[in-house]
Amino acid sequence: MEFPAVAISATVALFILFASTAVYSAQDFDIASQLRSKSSNTAGLCANVIEPSGFPCTEHTAQTKDGYVLGLQRVTSPSVTVQEGAPPVLLIHGLFMGGDAWFLDSPNQSLGFILANRGYDVWVGNVRGTHWSHGHVSLSEEDKDFWDWSWQELALYDLGEMIHYIYLTTNSKVLVVGHSQGTIMSLAALTQPDIAKMVKATALLCPISYLDHITAPFVLKLVKIRLDEIILELGIHELNFKSEWGTRIMDVLCDGHLDCADLLSSVTGKNCCFNSSRIDSYLEYEPHPSSSKNLHHLFQMIREGTFAMYDYGLWKNLMYYKQRKPPAFDVSSIPSSLPIWMGYGGNDALADVTDVQHTIKELVSKPELLYLENYGHIDFLLSTRGKEDVYDSMLAFFSSLAKSSSY
């Protein structure tokens, strides 16, 4: 049995898949590594990313029911006062990203800065395991149990607790904005009445709840060979692509073995407006760690075509859920009174149009939609035209809420 070869193949393929959301070449990754070595390992997101751009920022922490300590940042504008009575806005990042994802470009292009400059009370969420969160009350990141979670826990525990913390701190319902995995979390969390009652509205960039129509060739190859199951069998619990082995793998793969310049498109779809010249800056903090179980859960969704809780297999499902199959998240249970805005693209290979429409049909309410035919998955976060193409529509949606009812 050639077990070591299988292990090597698994780790190589994993790194290609998700580091490629930002990496074009080994040289880019080396530049990023040098930049990271210059940054502080102890200072938080405020000191490292937000305050250097001149925006006031304070660090907060929220503890989940299962003991994870999450980092939250509160951001305001240096020149614009928060609108009196304006609802707080919580930004929830995607897979292998952290709260810095909302501040990767200039203040005129990054959604976090744009919202602050429009007078919003901006809060930045960071899920468990990412660099800007703070571990666990009893578990070390070296413990396999620390990584025993998927987006299910991120939705019901992490997002739920962040919303609760902000709700109590501001005495106001929260506007929730998510991108990619942040939308899976949002949709799942909003099916829970105790969470939904604290949310004023939600805006979803590249909304995902169903994944069975994704067209990303590289992802589909990994799903077919059941890579997620292989890495769990190998005892790999943490997926951290900033390790030394990750850099070495990219050196080998991009040195004549793969066309790394085209790898991003094979994972996310063709991005029309992504600024590749800033790749070294994007990689200073990305990618963040996640869990192998989380990847497995996402691949389950692709295979089964369901928006459901984690599938442990027959016997464990009976133990955990008291039924043979994991319970589905019922999107139709999201309150019809909760306003929803969605932005999605025709070139998105992950949030496929067919799957987005599936989600829309299941919602009781009719969401406000923005469809951009030439946009890919990354464009909705890092497009050079993001403000004009995407964020102005979202801000108009938020403004309409203020006009239809008092803050």
Side-chain angles (χ1 to χ4, degrees):
M1 179 179 179
E2 296 181 358
F3 193 76
V6 173
I8 293 171
S9 297
T11 52
V12 167
L14 267 171
F15 187 80
I16 298 170
L17 171 59
F18 289 110
S20 66
T21 58
V23 173
Y24 281 110
S25 70
Q27 181 180 5
D28 291 327
F29 199 86
D30 288 340
I31 293 172
S33 298
Q34 294 170 14
L35 289 169
R36 284 192 296 272
S37 67
K38 297 177 182 178
S39 65
S40 170
N41 291 323
T42 57
L45 177 56
C46 285
N48 273 319
V49 178
I50 298 169
E51 290 174 346
S53 293
F55 284 69
C57 181
T58 55
E59 296 279 354
H60 297 252
T61 58
Q63 183 177 315
T64 67
K65 294 177 181 178
D66 54 349
Y68 290 85
V69 183
L70 311 176
L72 279 167
Q73 293 77 36
R74 192 177 193 178
V75 186
T76 54
S77 170
S79 57
V80 178
T81 303
V82 174
Q83 301 174 40
E84 184 177 354
V89 183
L90 172 61
L91 303 177
I92 300 296
H93 58 82
L95 179 65
F96 294 112
M97 305 192 91
D100 49 281
W102 305 101
F103 304 92
L104 292 177
D105 283 322
S106 71
N108 294 326
Q109 293 178 309
S110 300
L111 180 59
F113 291 134
I114 291 170
L115 286 166
N117 277 333
R118 289 289 293 269
Y120 285 93
D121 181 11
V122 179
W123 292 76
V124 186
N126 303 272
V127 304
R128 62 186 67 184
T130 56
H131 299 311
W132 311 120
S133 279
H134 306 287
H136 191 276
V137 294
S138 61
L139 296 173
S140 163
E141 292 183 13
E142 302 300 319
D143 298 328
K144 69 176 184 178
D145 288 345
F146 180 93
W147 301 99
D148 186 18
W149 49 264
S150 75
W151 61 261
Q152 176 177 322
E153 285 76 22
L154 301 186
L156 303 182
Y157 294 164
D158 292 27
L159 180 54
E161 188 56 47
M162 287 188 278
I163 291 171
H164 184 245
Y165 180 91
I166 297 167
Y167 179 78
L168 291 180
T169 302
T170 64
N171 195 30
S172 173
K173 288 188 175 183
V174 183
L175 298 173
V176 177
V177 179
H179 174 252
S180 192
Q181 180 183 257
T183 70
I184 300 175
M185 294 166 55
S186 298
L187 288 166
L190 292 172
T191 66
Q192 310 300 303
D194 59 327
I195 298 177
K197 69 182 182 182
M198 297 182 287
V199 177
K200 182 176 181 63
T202 186
L204 308 176
L205 298 164
C206 310
I208 295 173
S209 61
Y210 295 95
L211 285 170
D212 50 319
H213 287 89
I214 72 166
T215 57
F218 200 83
V219 179
L220 292 174
K221 288 180 181 178
L222 300 186
V223 172
K224 184 177 181 179
I225 67 172
R226 295 187 176 270
L227 181 64
D228 51 320
E229 297 175 1
I230 293 172
I231 63 172
L232 287 172
E233 287 295 325
L234 292 173
I236 301 171
H237 302 285
E238 176 190 1
L239 301 180
N240 186 350
F241 302 121
K242 286 190 174 180
S243 59
E244 291 184 8
W245 62 262
T247 305
R248 290 198 298 270
I249 288 171
M250 286 306 298
D251 285 337
V252 172
L253 292 175
C254 293
D255 187 16
H257 295 281
L258 285 173
D259 182 5
C260 291
D262 191 46
L263 201 51
L264 182 65
S265 295
S266 71
V267 175
T268 67
K270 184 178 180 181
N271 296 284
C272 68
C273 312
F274 174 71
N275 186 359
S276 60
S277 68
R278 286 183 53 80
I279 194 71
D280 56 342
S281 177
Y282 298 153
L283 280 172
E284 184 171 356
Y285 299 107
E286 310 293 340
H288 290 252
S290 189
S291 73
S292 301
K293 184 176 180 180
N294 192 25
L295 182 70
H296 185 38
H297 195 175
L298 292 167
F299 280 17
Q300 287 178 350
M301 296 167 66
I302 296 173
R303 295 189 187 102
E304 302 297 329
T306 58
F307 182 39
M309 294 186 177
Y310 186 83
D311 191 346
Y312 289 95
L314 174 61
W315 297 112
K316 285 190 176 181
N317 285 342
L318 289 171
M319 182 174 64
Y320 286 115
Y321 306 129
K322 312 303 181 186
Q323 58 188 59
R324 295 165 60 91
K325 295 286 187 179
F329 286 101
D330 182 8
V331 178
S332 67
S333 68
I334 296 175
S336 59
S337 58
L338 196 151
I340 300 173
W341 178 96
M342 292 182 173
Y344 63 111
N347 281 334
D348 194 332
L350 296 175
D352 183 82
V353 171
T354 302
D355 290 330
V356 173
Q357 291 173 344
H358 185 176
T359 303
I360 293 170
K361 289 178 181 178
E362 289 200 350
L363 289 166
V364 176
S365 63
K366 185 178 181 180
E368 184 171 320
L369 304 175
L370 172 68
Y371 174 69
L372 299 173
E373 185 174 2
N374 64 331
Y375 262 49
H377 199 73
I378 301 300
D379 286 322
F380 282 89
L381 186 66
L382 296 175
S383 168
T384 57
R385 290 186 44 82
K387 181 183 180 300
E388 297 82 4
D389 291 345
V390 182
Y391 304 147
D392 283 349
S393 172
M394 181 192 298
L395 288 165
F397 167 72
F398 288 158
S399 296
S400 70
L401 300 177
K403 293 176 182 177
S404 63
S405 62
S406 63
Y407 274 133

